[in-house]
Amino acid sequence: MRMSVIGCGYLGAVHAAAMASIGHDVIGIDVDDRKVAALSDGTAPFFEPQLVELLRQGLESGRLRFSNSMADARGARVHFVAVGTPQVTGGHAADLRFVDAAIRELLPHLGDGDVVAGKSTVPVGTAARLSEIIAPSGATLVWNPEFLREGWAVHDTLTPDRIVVGVPAGPDGAAAADVLAEVYAPAIAGGTPYLVTDLATAELVKGAANAFLATKISFINAMAEIAEASGADVALLADALGYDSRIGRRYLGSGIGFGGGCLPKDIRAFAARAEELGRGEAVGFLREVDKINLRRRDRAVQLVIDALGGMVFGRRIAVLGAAFKPFSDDIRDSPALEVAVRLRGLGADVVVTDPAAIDNARRMHPQLGYAQGRDEALQDADAVVVVTEWDEYRREMSPVHAAGLVRRQIIIDGRNCLDSAAWRAAGWDYRGMGRR
Ligand code: UDX
């Protein structure tokens, strides 16, 4: 099927490449010439496993192209809108200016019977408003939220847990649902549930899913606070809770909390929209979720200060991790990097390392010290702080080897991802977050 993907950021670039890989004829459109040039060249503008391979296959097959001209969307049967919806400056709501601009610029190129499929995360009610704008073109607007995780984006796009398509009532909506079913035919044939809903429900699914995941993480981090005050161990608590099949262990990873380009801004936008709808009270807990999450960063910094006897000034601190999570070079709202920046602000001699995110981190925070490799970062450190649970730190770092590099054997496990017994056995002062 011919399709356009408008916006070639994280979501759009992966979607375009994934759609080409299952046989569709895809044009990716973006206003950023550099991004278009990089993608056309088979280079991913960000780190994402499998994406480069998929891009190159698509480009070679001739089924995947990129352009900076919206006119190239003309003739496509489906137009996916995958532009960003950042947090507004000075508020919590979502900034819809890129979505609005994309629809406005696409409008003259739409044909009767085209389907416009919104993928961006938007406040509920947006799709109904946009439907009215595109109605005169004869195209139908549907909402098809995306649930991909960074680091797993290709996997999540090709084999999602579910596909949700919100459509307007009536025959046009039903026809559009059939078109989207054709788009996703391989996944649906492979057993992926295909849910057709109204527009508002589809928009809400995304916000609600992110709110739930954020709540689950903050829940276990709230338990970490209690564990710390009572001498319990939150990691064992999470294991024990996780065996309850009604609860499950995933997203019960305690530590410095969630960050990234999605969860933090999405829960704030969700709450802001609920306020507008007069139902702010219903999601008042999301403010607590956000507060618990931000408190984790303070707590991690405090643990380092305490471990160093009350002062970090002039101390060399190795910060292992900068990305907001492993398998990503994304540093947007990264708790890892924020811990590093705060320690630097207190006068510590901070050396950050990360397998993928150093270049991004250095651009944003040139005041920090950087080391290419883990061992270089550990050299002569007075304390080591693990803030992103890359395998390089979690699995592959030997406490005995590390002991030979540092000045003092102090390690703060900001992700509760290390084997505390092994580190202690090697003579380290190990401190987790809410762990004994
Ligand atoms: C998230 C949602 O998972 C995805 O469905 C949505 O489309 C976009 O937002 P992503 O931002 O890629 O995806 O990251 P995710 O893997 O969900 O992790 C988010 C943050 O939570 C990371 O900072 C991660 O370190 C943190 N996290 C995750 C925890 O602190 N504990 C956990 O147990 C799990």
Side-chain angles (χ1 to χ4, degrees):
M1 190 186 293
R2 267 185 79 182
M3 55 183 67
S4 74
V5 178
I6 295 144
C8 294
Y10 222 103
L11 169 57
V14 174
H15 191 67
M19 291 298 102
S21 80
I22 56 171
H24 297 303
D25 183 3
V26 186
I27 175 94
I29 298 174
D30 201 288
V31 290
D32 181 342
D33 292 339
R34 274 195 314 188
K35 206 177 275 173
V36 169
L39 290 166
S40 304
D41 210 30
T43 320
F46 44 81
F47 175 89
E48 182 63 43
Q50 296 178 47
L51 177 58
V52 170
E53 291 84 338
L54 229 58
L55 274 176
R56 296 200 174 148
Q57 280 166 22
L59 293 164
E60 271 165 33
S61 71
R63 285 196 306 272
L64 178 63
R65 288 172 303 128
F66 293 93
S67 161
N68 59 4
S69 166
M70 195 64 99
D72 286 331
R74 192 177 281 271
R77 179 106 184 268
V78 182
H79 308 271
F80 287 102
V81 177
V83 294
T85 50
Q87 190 173 327
V88 291
T89 317
H92 279 183
D95 184 345
L96 294 176
R97 97 178 93 141
F98 302 114
V99 174
D100 288 341
I103 296 290
R104 202 170 48 239
E105 282 156 34
L106 178 62
L107 201 53
H109 307 292
L110 289 175
D112 198 23
D114 284 7
V115 175
V116 178
K119 291 198 84 64
S120 309
T121 301
V122 292
V124 59
T126 306
R129 176 174 66 79
L130 298 177
S131 291
E132 287 176 21
I133 300 175
I134 72 158
S137 70
T140 304
L141 182 100
V142 304
W143 216 261
N144 171 218
E146 182 58 63
F147 305 98
L148 63 82
R149 295 160 299 165
E150 293 186 23
W152 298 88
V154 170
H155 169 273
D156 289 351
T157 305
L158 290 173
T159 48
D161 288 342
R162 75 299 210 184
I163 296 165
V164 178
V165 181
V167 302
D172 289 348
D178 289 344
V179 172
L180 268 275
E182 205 180 315
V183 169
Y184 295 118
I188 296 169
T192 301
Y194 183 64
L195 285 94
V196 178
T197 70
D198 55 276
L199 289 170
T201 303
E203 292 170 308
L204 262 187
V205 176
K206 175 62 192 254
N210 276 351
F212 188 86
L213 294 172
T215 304
K216 200 169 174 189
I217 298 168
S218 275
F219 174 82
I220 200 64
N221 281 330
M223 294 306 109
E225 293 188 26
I226 308 291
E228 201 163 78
S230 57
D233 187 315
V234 73
L236 293 175
L237 176 73
D239 289 342
L241 289 174
Y243 283 118
D244 186 324
S245 57
R246 294 166 303 174
I247 299 175
R249 181 65 172 81
R250 293 177 73 190
Y251 282 80
L252 284 184
S254 56
I256 55 172
F258 60 82
C262 290
L263 287 194
K265 76 158 175 77
D266 286 354
I267 62 163
R268 290 173 198 147
F270 194 65
R273 182 64 182 137
E275 293 278 354
E276 283 171 13
L277 293 168
R279 296 291 189 279
E281 225 175 303
V283 291
F285 67 93
L286 288 179
R287 268 194 292 275
E288 265 332 295
V289 165
D290 204 3
K291 276 198 228 161
I292 293 166
N293 190 50
L294 295 177
R295 254 195 329 261
R296 303 311 288 162
R297 304 172 186 195
D298 304 338
R299 186 66 199 133
V301 172
Q302 192 57 46
L303 278 177
V304 182
I305 297 172
D306 292 348
L308 283 168
M311 202 173 74
V312 296
F313 188 86
R315 302 286 190 211
R316 187 175 162 92
I317 301 175
V319 175
L320 305 186
F324 83 106
K325 67 174 201 178
F327 304 108
S328 169
D329 65 354
D330 199 339
I331 54 159
R332 286 176 294 172
D333 200 354
S334 168
L337 206 47
E338 188 172 333
V339 168
V341 167
R342 290 217 209 153
L343 290 169
R344 177 74 195 100
L346 294 170
D349 172 14
V350 171
V351 182
V352 178
T353 189
D354 188 286
I358 290 186
D359 290 346
N360 285 343
R362 189 184 273 122
R363 258 194 302 278
M364 180 87 95
H365 295 293
Q367 79 278 22
L368 300 174
Y370 292 96
Q372 277 308 326
R374 186 189 66 205
D375 285 3
E376 190 190 335
L378 293 179
Q379 199 65 49
D380 297 328
D382 291 301
V384 180
V385 193
V386 178
V387 276
T388 313
E389 68 278 33
W390 287 97
D391 283 347
E392 281 85 340
Y393 316 138
R394 193 166 62 110
R395 292 182 200 273
E396 295 157 18
M397 184 163 62
S398 144
V400 176
H401 173 72
L405 299 170
V406 296
R407 189 178 299 142
R408 291 175 69 184
Q409 285 181 258
I410 296 173
I411 189 151
I412 287 88
D413 184 358
R415 291 290 183 179
N416 289 344
C417 62
L418 302 175
D419 177 351
S420 56
W423 284 83
R424 286 189 177 130
W428 287 78
D429 172 358
Y430 168 94
R431 299 177 189 217
M433 298 195 67
R435 299 187 78 179
R436 286 175 75 85

